[in-house]
Amino acid sequence: MASTQQQRIILVTGANRGLGFEVVKKLVNQSTSNKDLILLGTRDLKRGQDAINQLGSPSNVHAFQLDTSSSDSIAQAANVIKQKYGGKLDILINNAGIVSMEQTLDAAREVFATNYYGVKLINQQLSPLIRENGRIVNVASEVGAWTLYDASVDLQNKYTSSSLTEEQLDALVKDFFSAVETNRLEEIGYRSKLPFQAYGVSKAALIALTRIEARSWSGAKGVLVVAVCPGYCDTDMNKGRQGARPAAIGADSILHAALSPANELENGAFYQDGKKQAQVFPCPMDLSKMSQQ
Ligand SMILES: NC(=O)c1ccc[n+]([C@@H]2O[C@H](COP(=O)([O-])OP(=O)(O)OC[C@H]3O[C@@H](n4cnc5c(N)ncnc54)[C@H](OP(=O)(O)O)[C@@H]3O)[C@@H](O)[C@H]2O)c1
């Protein structure tokens, strides 16, 4: 990270509630006299300001408007960082995410706009601003690994290939969309019975993208790019469902990836609760009957 003299600038997207908010809360509490400047990403400035009020209005937390599904908003956010914050970031936490239980093409496109394409575009635009030894954390999900576990070996091999390119990954995503549209998911190898399949595929794609980004930028200024799962947490995303753990614990999982010394992490890897995870593993529960409550 930056030298101890320098104030770190940390952007957390989708931080007005849920896990992103918990991450900012913990950063505020951990921050020493040389305070980090924390940009609380929010697509709605009023909601962001309300969140800052809930934190007691610390002077080092600024509401930062960013709709991660909008290329205009991302371009605007990059300009604000350049004009207002010296054009530098130390840590970027791509936390904003959505889920949908619908199995339609529109729903899949909406989920991917935030969970995959948005992160990809933000990283393209903001990675040049990341300071030496900085970090990019893509908040993914174990649901991505479960989704690939249920998929065909061919799809597993494609998503996990160490030579996968962005173009090939985009082609996989497009194939998924066209299979959703034509009801051919099983035929092309997506066999998950999870009720939020587009979410799972979007997170599988994000984990694969993280590896590609890490490979492409490897060695550049010592910047690490990692993916992380916060675990199944009690946030609005899981409203009404049983068995979720407190969001504060999920925030610790994210912060481990964001703040651990670089020599304790592997560039491009996927973490949960401080441990490296595989890209493909089975879901330990039967979630097939889960429905939106
Ligand atoms: N909760 C879990 O069990 C769990 C498990 C694994 C992974 N995750 C991942 O963790 C991340 C945070 O999830 P969460 O549980 O905190 O969800 P949440 O409670 O639903 O909060 C989502 C946050 O993301 C924001 N957001 C959504 N789309 C956005 C967009 N296009 N632009 C900017 N902000 C956007 C929301 O803003 P608004 O208030 O404006 O809607 C909100 O602040 C997600 O990436 C999720 O996939 C969560």
Side-chain angles (χ1 to χ4, degrees):
M1 302 299 128
S3 82
T4 46
Q5 302 306 315
Q6 204 167 36
Q7 185 184 44
R8 294 187 305 188
I9 305 181
I10 303 175
L11 168 58
V12 186
T13 70
N16 54 290
R17 62 188 167 98
L19 288 157
F21 178 74
E22 289 297 326
V23 165
V24 171
K25 195 199 275 183
K26 282 179 183 271
L27 285 170
V28 168
N29 292 335
Q30 284 172 15
S31 189
T32 53
S33 55
N34 177 26
K35 285 181 170 180
D36 294 324
L37 175 60
I38 301 159
L39 304 181
L40 182 149
T42 179
R43 56 181 155 183
D44 179 285
L45 270 183
K46 161 92 174 61
R47 288 199 285 262
Q49 204 48 59
D50 288 348
I52 292 176
N53 294 345
Q54 274 185 60
L55 295 170
S57 305
S59 60
N60 62 324
V61 181
H62 295 191
F64 185 83
Q65 188 158 34
L66 176 53
D67 178 343
T68 65
S69 67
S70 154
S71 54
D72 286 349
S73 178
I74 293 168
Q76 172 68 16
N79 278 335
V80 172
I81 293 172
K82 286 177 195 153
Q83 283 159 18
K84 199 168 162 193
Y85 297 108
K88 295 289 173 207
L89 276 182
D90 289 278
I91 304 174
L92 165 61
I93 302 180
N94 287 303
N95 165 77
I98 56 168
V99 70
S100 173
M101 306 295 268
E102 283 178 39
Q103 308 269 18
T104 62
L105 180 61
D106 282 350
R109 285 197 192 286
E110 197 186 342
V111 165
F112 272 77
T114 293
N115 295 6
Y116 174 72
Y117 292 115
V119 178
K120 182 171 153 157
L121 196 55
I122 288 173
N123 289 348
Q124 278 168 3
Q125 302 235 348
L126 299 190
S127 60
L129 310 184
I130 303 277
R131 253 196 277 256
E132 196 165 335
N133 300 323
R135 192 156 305 165
I136 296 175
V137 176
N138 294 333
V139 179
S141 170
E142 58 195 351
V143 177
W146 302 344
T147 302
L148 281 190
Y149 182 84
D150 290 338
S152 66
V153 172
D154 180 52
L155 279 178
Q156 288 176 2
N157 288 341
K158 284 179 173 154
Y159 276 94
T160 61
S161 164
S162 58
S163 58
L164 182 70
T165 62
E166 269 191 37
E167 294 71 28
Q168 289 168 334
L169 181 55
D170 281 344
L172 281 171
V173 170
K174 284 201 177 123
D175 288 349
F176 172 73
F177 285 165
S178 85
V180 171
E181 188 176 26
T182 53
N183 208 9
R184 286 171 38 254
L185 283 171
E186 294 238 353
E187 206 179 297
I188 70 161
Y190 290 99
R191 296 177 185 139
S192 176
K193 297 283 177 277
L194 292 177
F196 33 74
Q197 177 137 245
Y199 176 79
V201 177
S202 75
K203 295 296 188 178
L206 182 58
I207 294 166
L209 178 70
T210 304
R211 295 183 64 213
I212 296 169
E213 290 175 339
R215 194 164 16 101
S216 324
W217 304 332
S218 169
K221 301 187 293 182
V223 172
L224 282 192
V225 192
V226 292
V228 68
C229 176
Y232 177 42
C233 294
D234 185 10
T235 64
D236 292 344
M237 191 170 270
N238 293 314
K239 219 176 217 157
R241 297 193 187 119
Q242 305 280 309
R245 62 189 190 166
I249 297 178
D252 284 337
S253 185
I254 294 172
L255 284 170
H256 167 270
L259 301 178
S260 291
N263 63 3
E264 293 176 15
L265 295 172
E266 183 183 317
N267 200 18
F270 174 42
Y271 289 88
Q272 182 169 344
D273 295 331
K275 294 193 196 78
K276 195 180 145 192
Q277 298 289 329
Q279 261 183 284
V280 182
F281 58 87
C283 173
M285 301 158 276
D286 178 9
L287 300 183
S288 59
K289 297 188 180 57
M290 185 185 266
S291 62
Q292 189 73 58
Q293 322 242 338

